[in-house]
């Protein structure tokens, strides 16, 4: 007879469904509820490895890795063939400062699954902490190749690429001291959920919120802080409260962003899981553009491509084409851009076409317009070439974007475009749009 467990009041679930529910609460930030469900499961089935795994994950997410280690160790004894359990034990050990044991765990997880990008990222962090920057870099490069939508690998790899790209006397990690007479907000997760453009929107949203209510905004190192000329105070993870109930916090944040509230979120770490608001507020456009200005130390990678394109033509037309998203298969047909260009091209003064794309196979379709891509740039920014694409989009005269936030964010940061277009609903046509709400 199968076991049924009362997970929350009035709800009884089968053992597998109860474990899934505990994991759902854990992933949603309701760590106390997740742990309570796991305890009920373990009362009925003390040997259940799945409940032990979720309980251990909830413990280290609640910033108590020392408590997570014995729980995950027990889960591993119950299910020694689970690379996921080994990997999460590695995270708990890493967060506990036990570098040698963490290294052994991550290497074991990779031995069980050779393409385990998450374990490679954890091992890279261990190696970097031990002073092996070259070993860490090689692992991160491989992790990004295997799973380019895994944000922790992407961030760590990008930050190492920024460091490698600096001139000998240059620095990018400029910070100011926080004002101690003001409340604060922080975001330890900044950059870990979503990639560059989504994270930029999240940063702007929280900074606008903090400005509105007179708060300091403390941030970790993230790709935007390296790329843009920002000096936000450094986040001290030691002072963070427990990570709980992010869905409720997300709603409260959106309410306080939309209109001024009497009791805004304050003195806490936000976890939004992707910003719940459109941060590009027209009334704050000048402020946002001033924040999101690339650091001058990157000019040697950013300006030569723009100068090369300007030498090739007077009117810079840019098209962004997205074709390889793992989550989105509703791609805009290439014919939409080609038909538009056929009609537009004869009306322009000495035009030059730039194509930014994640799928180089589409470029020959535009051959009659002699397109330029990042492969033609006079200087290559290894590992950060997407930022060269992004910068050209922000400097184009005419920009046609695809779905997603990358090119839409570039459109918002373009200071003086002549024309901005995006796919209309149903990919019926390209329509003009304003990226500022």
């Amino acid at each position: 007879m199968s076991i049924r467990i009362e997970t929350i009041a009035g709800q009884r679930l089968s053992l597998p469904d109860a474990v899934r529910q505990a994991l759902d609460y854990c992933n949603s930030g309701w760590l106390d509820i997740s742990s309570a469900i796991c305890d009920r499961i373990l009362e009925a089935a003390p040997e259940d490895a799945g409940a032990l795994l979720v309980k251990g994950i909830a413990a280290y997410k609640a910033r108590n890795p020392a408590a997570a280690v014995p729980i995950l160790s027990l889960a591993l004894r119950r299910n020694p063939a689970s690379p996921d359990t080994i990997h999460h034990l590695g995270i708990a050990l890493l967060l506990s400062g036990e570098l040698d044991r963490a290294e052994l765990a991550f290497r074991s997880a990779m031995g069980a699954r050779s393409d385990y990008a998450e374990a490679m990222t954890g091992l890279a962090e261990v190696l970097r902490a031990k002073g092996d920057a070259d070993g860490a870099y090689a692992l991160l490069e491989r992790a990004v190749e295997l799973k380019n939508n895994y944000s922790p690998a992407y961030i760590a790899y990008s930050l190492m690429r920024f460091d490698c790209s600096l001139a000998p006397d240059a620095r990018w990690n400029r910070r100011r001291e926080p004002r101690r007479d003001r409340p604060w907000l922080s975001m330890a997760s900044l950059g870990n959920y979503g990639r560059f453009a989504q994270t930029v929107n999240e940063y702007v949203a929280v900074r606008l919120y903090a400005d509105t209510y007179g708060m300091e905004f403390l941030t970790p190192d993230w790709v935007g802080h390296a790329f843009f000329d920002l000096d936000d105070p450094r986040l001290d993870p030691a002072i963070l409260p427990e990570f709980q109930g992010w869905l409720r916090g997300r709603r409260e944040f959106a309410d306080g962003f939309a209109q001024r509230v009497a009791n805004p979120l304050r003195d806490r770490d936000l976890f939004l899981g992707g910003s719940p608001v459109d941060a590009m507020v027209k009334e704050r456009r000048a402020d946002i553009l001033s924040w999101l200005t690339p650091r001058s130390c990157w000019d040697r990678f950013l300006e030569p491509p723009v100068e090369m394109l300007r030498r090739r033509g007077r009117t810079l037309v840019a098209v962004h084409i997205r074709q390889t998203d793992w989550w989105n298969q509703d791609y805009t047909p290439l014919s939409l851009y080609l038909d538009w260009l056929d009609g537009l091209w004869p009306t322009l003064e000495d035009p030059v076409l730039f194509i930014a794309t994640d799928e180089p196979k589409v470029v020959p379709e535009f051959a009659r317009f002699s397109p330029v891509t990042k492969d033609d740039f006079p200087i290559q920014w290894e590992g950060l070439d997407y930022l060269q694409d992004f910068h050209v989009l922000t400097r184009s005269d005419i920009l046609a974007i695809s779905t997603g936030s990358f090119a839409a964010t570039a459109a918002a940061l373009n200071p003086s475009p002549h024309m901005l277009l995006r796919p209309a609903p149903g990919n019926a046509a390209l329509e003009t749009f304003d990226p500022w709400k």
Side-chain angles (χ1 to χ4, degrees):
M1 180 173 162
S2 63
I3 298 174
R4 296 189 70 81
I5 297 157
E6 184 174 8
T7 56
I8 56 179
Q11 187 172 86
R12 297 186 68 83
L13 298 175
S14 67
L15 182 58
D17 287 344
V19 173
R20 278 191 288 271
Q21 186 185 66
L23 182 59
D24 287 342
Y25 274 107
C26 181
N27 290 337
S28 298
W30 296 98
L31 305 178
D32 48 358
I33 298 176
S34 176
S35 294
I37 293 172
C38 289
D39 288 340
R40 295 186 186 112
I41 295 170
L42 293 167
E43 286 175 8
E47 303 295 309
D48 190 80
L52 288 166
L53 173 58
V54 176
K55 185 175 175 64
I57 294 171
Y60 77 66
K61 281 190 173 183
R63 302 189 174 92
N64 191 1
V69 169
I71 298 170
L72 291 167
S73 297
L74 181 57
L76 187 58
R77 288 197 292 274
R78 298 287 184 264
N79 185 11
S82 168
D84 289 338
T85 304
I86 302 171
H87 166 244
H88 286 289
L89 175 59
I91 294 176
L93 290 165
L94 174 61
L95 293 172
S96 299
E98 298 190 49
L99 297 183
D100 290 339
R101 292 179 66 196
E103 179 175 353
L104 178 61
F106 290 130
R107 290 192 185 280
S108 297
M110 291 166 56
R113 190 190 305 167
S114 61
D115 62 348
Y116 205 157
E118 293 86 349
M120 290 178 193
T121 304
L123 180 58
E125 192 166 342
V126 171
L127 295 184
R128 189 161 54 171
K130 289 184 170 185
D132 183 4
D134 292 341
Y137 182 84
L139 282 166
L140 291 170
E141 190 171 42
R142 176 64 176 150
V144 170
E145 289 174 359
L146 288 168
K147 194 171 185 179
N148 64 11
N149 63 325
Y150 182 54
S151 294
Y154 153 76
I155 291 170
Y157 174 68
S158 294
L159 292 178
M160 291 194 78
R161 282 304 316 160
F162 280 116
D163 287 336
C164 293
S165 303
L166 283 169
D169 58 344
R171 296 289 181 272
W172 64 261
N173 208 353
R174 180 168 56 87
R175 298 280 189 169
R176 63 176 177 82
E177 289 298 315
R179 288 179 51 180
R180 302 298 180 183
D181 60 338
R182 304 177 75 187
W184 56 270
L185 290 173
S186 66
M187 184 173 284
S189 62
L190 186 63
N192 281 293
Y193 295 85
R195 297 189 66 184
F196 176 69
Q198 181 179 329
T199 303
V200 169
N201 189 75
E202 198 169 68
Y203 167 83
V204 172
V206 179
R207 181 159 177 179
L208 289 174
Y209 189 100
D211 275 6
T212 297
Y213 297 104
M215 302 182 195
E216 293 286 85
F217 181 27
L218 287 67
T219 66
D221 290 342
W222 63 290
V223 173
H225 179 76
F227 183 61
F228 297 117
D229 195 15
L230 303 173
D231 66 348
D232 306 295
R234 183 180 298 282
L235 167 64
D236 179 4
I239 65 174
L240 296 179
E242 290 188 356
F243 166 63
Q244 293 281 1
W246 73 275
L247 290 175
R248 181 175 60 196
R250 198 172 190 263
R251 290 192 295 269
E252 291 177 6
F253 176 83
D255 291 342
F257 188 91
Q259 58 186 359
R260 197 173 184 91
V261 295
N263 296 303
L265 301 169
R266 70 178 69 218
D267 297 338
R268 62 175 290 180
D269 186 60
L270 297 180
F271 178 85
L272 301 180
S275 176
V277 301
D278 181 355
M280 298 302 171
V281 181
K282 187 171 292 187
E283 290 77 10
R284 298 296 302 274
R285 183 175 184 269
D287 290 328
I288 295 168
L289 289 177
S290 70
W291 299 339
L292 303 182
T293 300
R295 295 182 186 274
S296 59
C297 59
W298 310 132
D299 284 353
R300 65 194 184 100
F301 297 104
L302 301 178
E303 294 309 320
V306 176
E307 292 167 0
M308 178 199 75
L309 287 160
R310 291 296 182 190
R311 287 194 298 269
R312 294 196 180 192
R314 293 180 59 86
T315 306
L316 174 50
V317 181
V319 174
H320 179 255
I321 298 172
R322 202 166 186 171
Q323 290 274 298
T324 63
D325 287 317
W326 63 278
W327 58 271
N328 175 21
Q329 299 299 320
D330 186 22
Y331 303 127
T332 305
L334 296 183
S335 59
L336 212 61
Y337 300 103
L338 290 165
D339 291 346
W340 166 69
L341 286 170
D342 281 333
L344 176 72
W345 214 247
T347 71
L348 301 178
E349 181 182 4
D350 192 18
V352 58
L353 176 64
F354 172 72
I355 296 179
T357 182
D358 54 4
E359 179 48 87
K361 293 179 181 178
V362 307
V363 176
E365 298 290 330
F366 295 81
R368 61 184 176 271
F369 303 104
S370 301
V372 176
T373 72
K374 62 188 176 185
D375 292 337
D376 302 307
F377 289 164
I379 184 169
Q380 305 292 316
W381 202 359
E382 181 186 346
L384 297 171
D385 49 358
Y386 66 93
L387 293 175
Q388 292 180 299
D389 275 354
F390 184 84
H391 186 69
V392 171
L393 299 183
T394 69
R395 295 295 180 265
S396 59
D397 300 311
I398 298 171
L399 171 59
I401 72 171
S402 58
T403 56
S405 58
F406 183 83
T409 302
L413 300 188
N414 190 319
S416 55
H418 301 329
M419 184 188 305
L420 298 173
L421 299 105
R422 66 182 176 191
N427 289 322
L430 292 177
E431 62 180 11
T432 58
F433 77 105
D434 185 350
W436 296 90
K437 68 170 186 174

